[in-house]
Structure formats: structure tokens, C-alpha cells
Amino acid sequence: MKSFTIKEINSLLNGELIGNCSEEITAPEQIEKAKKGQITFIGNKKFARLWDSSNASAAIIDAKIEIEPGVDKAFIKVTNADLAMAKLLEAFQPEAPHFETDIHPTAVIDKTVTLGKGCKIGANSYIGKNVVLGDGVIVYPNVSIFDDTTIGNQTTIWSGTVIRERTVIGNNCIFHNNVSIGADGFGYRPSEQGLTKIPHIGNVVIGNQVEVGANSCIDRGKFSSTILGDGCKIDNLVQIGHNSVLGRFCIMAGNSGLAGSVTLGDGVIIGGSASIKDHTTIHSGAKVGAGSGVIADVAAGKTVVGYPATDSREMMKQWVALRKLARG
């Protein structure tokens, strides 16, 4: 089990140490559950009131919050408690699952595959014709990577993920369990036979440092490519429809979805369970509130909420008016 002194943690975070903690810190924990020997986080004033009843030995605290640590307890004051928490959680992170051998004997790897230095491939994985894996790619057990796919350096692919043919993936990406990349888009047209399937002959192109959560689906393009730009972060259970294009550093929370041919600018944030209509553009820096339904373009930097989604300030006025009307 990992443990650190409070001085070692302060050195890691480059904060301001206040008070004294003689305990070795064995784990981080939320403030209500923390025990002696654990460290917690106070990034907002609403959590500061919980400190007096907390059993934590130390806390990482936002520099703007004015409280005292108490006897044999310590604070590490930082400018951003959330970023400091991320750094500390990384220090406490357990070791990744062990590979007994770099390439498991039950993995099926086509003779045309190109493997970079230090690749690891787990049991029962399948790597198809002309696939290229960069240096340090980790493929956990039961992953399928189909023909003509290219994956960049230091990318990690967790069990159950399926990457369909012709996909292009950048460096330092993470795909969690059961991600589907490059399946057919959803396209049918009425015909004399009932519903005629529209073939999707494009692919998926994913940039660098993209992370995709468990059970999310990214469909391939009908004609060209579905694209995720550098740094995009996709939560669990997200649907990205065919020919959608995401700019850099977009965030999509769980159960949200893009229909086909949606365009997101840079830094767009989509809240949980939000739905975006096909052929809609959400411009850079815009935010879509949780549960909202976007049926029209959203201007850069605007926040929209509701169903159908409307400017957040306008929607708040409508909600207030409805509440007054209900009260009579």
C-alpha cells in the first residue's frame, strides 16, 4: 500500500503547508468518509463547514478558503484544489493489471500486422490484416481490432472494445471497456421492400489524447469520416452518430448523444442525457445543459438548456413565469 508524509505530498503539489500532521497519509478520501491517516479535499466553501467533524488528518484546500486545520492536522493550500486532487490521485493510483507475457499466446495476430516497440496484447484479442500499432500500445484481453486500422503511440484499449476496419487513432488515447468504434451509422429509407439500409463506407478518425468511456459508440461516416479532435473526453454510454465532427477538447457527459452530421466547435460541453439533432452546429465554447434537446444551431459561447434548448437566461425567465402562473 502506498503512503506519503504530508511534506512529501506538499512537495508534489507545490502548495503552502499549514499546520502539522504526524500521520503517514495512506489514501485520499471524500471529507465525510475520511479517517485518520487519510487526506481529503476542500475546493469550495460549502465543504469547509464539514471540516470540524471530519476525521481526516489533512486536506488539500483552496487558498481562498479561510479556516484553520486544528490540532495535529494539516492543510496544503493550493490555487486549484481540483487540479491538485488529480495530481495526488495519480500518485496513489494502483498498478495496472499485470501482463505475464507481452503478447499472450491465445491472441490472434495477422502476419501483416505492424507492432511498435513495447506493445502488449492480452488473451483472446484479435488484430486484423494490415493493422499498425504504435509504440507502447496496450491491448487488454478480448479486444478486436479489424483490418487497416492505425493506432498511435501509448494508446490503451480496455477489454471488450471493438475497433472496426479503417479506423485511424492518434497517440495517448484511452478506450474503456466495451467501446464500439466504426460500426455502421443508423440509416434507412422507405422502399417497396420495406426499409432499405443505407451503407456507410467511411471511417472514424480520432485525434490525440482522446478518452472514451465504457459502452460508448462512435459510428463511422456514410461517405467520409466521423472525427473526434484532439483532447476530447467522452463519458460512458455516449452515442456519436455518423459523420459527426468534434473539435478539440469537447466534453460529452453520460447518456448524451449526437445524431448524424452534427458539428461541435472547440471546447463544447454537452451535459448528461442531452440530445443533439442531426445536421446541427454547436459553435466553439458553447454549453448544452443536462437533459436538453438541441434542434437548431447554437452560437459560440452560448449556454442553452431545456427541451427544445433555448438560451439559458431566456429559459429561466420562462420557468419563473410558469411557476408564477401555477401559483395563480
Side-chain angles (χ1 to χ4, degrees), residues 241-303:
H242 62 88
N243 289 106
S244 289
V245 176
L246 282 65
R248 299 174 302 158
F249 305 108
C250 294
I251 295 174
M252 294 184 64
N255 290 294
S256 61
L258 308 181
S261 299
V262 170
T263 300
L264 306 185
D266 294 341
V268 170
I269 298 176
I270 307 292
S273 297
S275 303
I276 316 300
K277 178 183 175 294
D278 60 288
H279 296 277
T280 300
T281 297
I282 301 177
H283 292 276
S284 295
K287 298 178 182 178
V288 177
S292 299
V294 176
I295 61 173
D297 292 355
V298 178
K302 180 171 283 190
T303 298

Side-chain angles (χ1 to χ4, degrees), residues 7-294:
K7 289 183 178 179
E8 287 172 334
I9 294 174
N10 186 54
S11 178
L12 172 68
L13 302 180
N14 196 26
E16 178 188 0
L17 181 59
I18 298 173
N20 180 57
C21 169
S22 58
E23 298 285 336
E24 286 271 323
I25 302 299
T26 58
E29 184 55 271
Q30 65 190 67
I31 193 166
E32 302 96 326
K33 296 181 178 180
K35 300 176 182 178
K36 189 174 182 180
Q38 295 181 329
I39 188 167
T40 191
F41 306 89
I42 306 175
N44 189 294
K45 288 182 180 179
K46 68 180 180 181
F47 297 110
R49 60 183 175 80
L50 301 175
W51 175 247
D52 286 342
S53 60
S54 176
N55 293 318
S57 294
I60 295 169
I61 182 170
D62 189 284
K64 297 178 182 177
I65 298 175
E66 296 295 335
I67 57 174
E68 295 298 322
V71 178
D72 199 27
K73 293 190 174 186
F75 285 160
I76 297 175
K77 288 205 167 187
V78 295
T79 55
N80 190 314
D82 286 337
L83 294 180
M85 176 176 62
K87 188 177 289 188
L88 185 59
L89 287 171
E90 187 175 348
F92 274 102
Q93 188 167 359
E95 296 295 326
H98 177 66
F99 278 77
E100 190 68 34
T101 58
D102 284 353
I103 309 297
H104 197 276
T106 63
V108 177
I109 302 173
D110 190 88
K111 63 182 180 180
T112 61
V113 170
T114 300
L115 297 180
K117 296 178 181 178
C119 287
K120 295 182 179 181
I121 300 176
N124 299 310
S125 287
Y126 171 79
I127 315 293
K129 185 179 179 181
N130 296 325
V131 168
V132 177
L133 302 184
D135 295 344
V137 171
I138 297 177
V139 178
Y140 282 100
N142 301 305
V143 168
S144 296
I145 303 173
F146 287 92
D147 301 5
D148 301 306
T149 290
T150 300
I151 298 176
N153 300 334
Q154 311 301 325
T155 286
T156 299
I157 305 164
W158 286 92
S159 295
T161 292
V162 177
I163 301 175
R164 290 284 297 272
E165 57 274 19
R166 303 185 308 280
T167 297
V168 178
I169 295 171
N171 301 321
N172 301 107
C173 294
I174 302 172
F175 302 103
H176 292 280
N177 300 83
N178 302 314
V179 169
S180 171
I181 300 173
D184 272 1
F186 187 73
Y188 298 88
R189 293 295 182 271
S191 67
E192 294 179 357
Q193 292 75 34
L195 291 174
T196 296
K197 180 178 175 62
I198 305 298
H200 288 70
I201 63 172
N203 72 338
V204 174
V205 176
I206 295 176
N208 302 315
Q209 297 179 321
V210 172
E211 185 165 358
V212 180
N215 298 297
S216 289
C217 300
I218 304 166
D219 293 344
R220 68 186 179 212
K222 183 188 299 181
F223 306 113
S224 51
S225 302
T226 301
I227 299 173
L228 276 66
D230 292 348
C232 287
K233 309 301 179 187
I234 310 300
D235 198 357
N236 301 334
L237 295 166
V238 169
Q239 163 67 20
I240 297 176
H242 62 88
N243 289 106
S244 289
V245 176
L246 282 65
R248 299 174 302 158
F249 305 108
C250 294
I251 295 174
M252 294 184 64
N255 290 294
S256 61
L258 308 181
S261 299
V262 170
T263 300
L264 306 185
D266 294 341
V268 170
I269 298 176
I270 307 292
S273 297
S275 303
I276 316 300
K277 178 183 175 294
D278 60 288
H279 296 277
T280 300
T281 297
I282 301 177
H283 292 276
S284 295
K287 298 178 182 178
V288 177
S292 299
V294 176

